[in-house]
Amino acid sequence: MSHAEQSFQIPWRGMHHIALITADLDATIRFYRDVLGMPCSGIAPSREGRGRHCLILVKPDDDSQWGFHFFERPAVKTTLGPSDAHPKSFVPHVALRLADQSAAHALRERLNQARVPVTDIPELGTYVFFDNNDLCLEVTWPEGKHVES
């Protein structure tokens, strides 16, 4: 690793959420809420091929770390949406938290330099990209929009 690569730092703030698929959103909510005692956001309606979805809040009252974002879909490999050409995965994405929009811009520039394609998610104000293992990574930051509860 070159000195320039070693000195490049992104102010990561940890895991924001992990998107997962469930065939039965109501049963999933009952398990996490009633058995594990984790609060649940409201259920967002299905739109644009996403399926009904909700957040299971692992750390309540903390916008910087949501927890699990469950999408109700058949348990098959999925992409980001119906028109998406990215590789299919059982895990729709893992969301990582950055300090601010400036860090998100710096990371986007670094990804562009490394020729890593970036896909904007306009309704969330975030973006996603794939790692070398075809794992979809979403980047979120405090100024970005968030999923409606």
Side-chain angles (χ1 to χ4, degrees):
M1 186 179 293
S2 74
H3 179 67
E5 290 171 328
Q6 290 174 354
S7 66
F8 182 82
Q9 296 294 317
I10 292 285
W12 293 106
R13 295 292 185 249
M15 192 70 62
H16 187 256
H17 70 275
I18 298 173
L20 300 166
I21 295 172
T22 179
D24 186 341
L25 186 61
D26 297 319
T28 297
I29 290 170
R30 283 191 301 273
F31 177 81
Y32 282 88
R33 183 191 61 210
D34 301 344
V35 177
L36 298 183
M38 294 178 179
C40 170
S41 73
I43 298 173
S46 178
R47 68 174 193 220
E48 300 176 10
R50 296 175 81 180
R52 292 186 319 151
H53 54 105
C54 74
L55 297 168
I56 303 296
L57 305 171
V58 175
K59 208 171 173 188
D61 302 320
D62 185 349
D63 278 347
S64 68
Q65 295 180 22
W66 285 349
F68 302 113
H69 189 176
F70 278 99
F71 291 85
E72 187 173 55
R73 297 185 191 158
V76 296
K77 289 187 175 186
T78 184
T79 61
L80 295 174
S83 64
D84 186 32
H86 288 298
K88 292 186 174 191
S89 170
F90 285 111
V91 178
H93 66 268
V94 173
L96 302 171
R97 186 78 163 172
L98 286 172
D100 52 36
Q101 190 168 10
S102 174
H105 179 73
L107 177 61
R108 181 188 291 266
E109 289 298 315
R110 185 160 175 88
L111 291 166
N112 288 336
Q113 289 172 2
R115 294 185 173 91
V116 175
V118 173
T119 301
D120 289 308
I121 308 295
E123 68 269 18
L124 300 179
T126 64
Y127 62 85
V128 297
F129 58 94
F130 287 83
D131 76 0
N132 61 301
N133 300 299
D134 291 332
L135 176 62
C136 182
L137 300 172
E138 178 184 3
V139 177
T140 183
W141 54 94
E143 294 88 14
K145 298 176 196 173
H146 297 291
V147 175
E148 298 172 10
S149 299

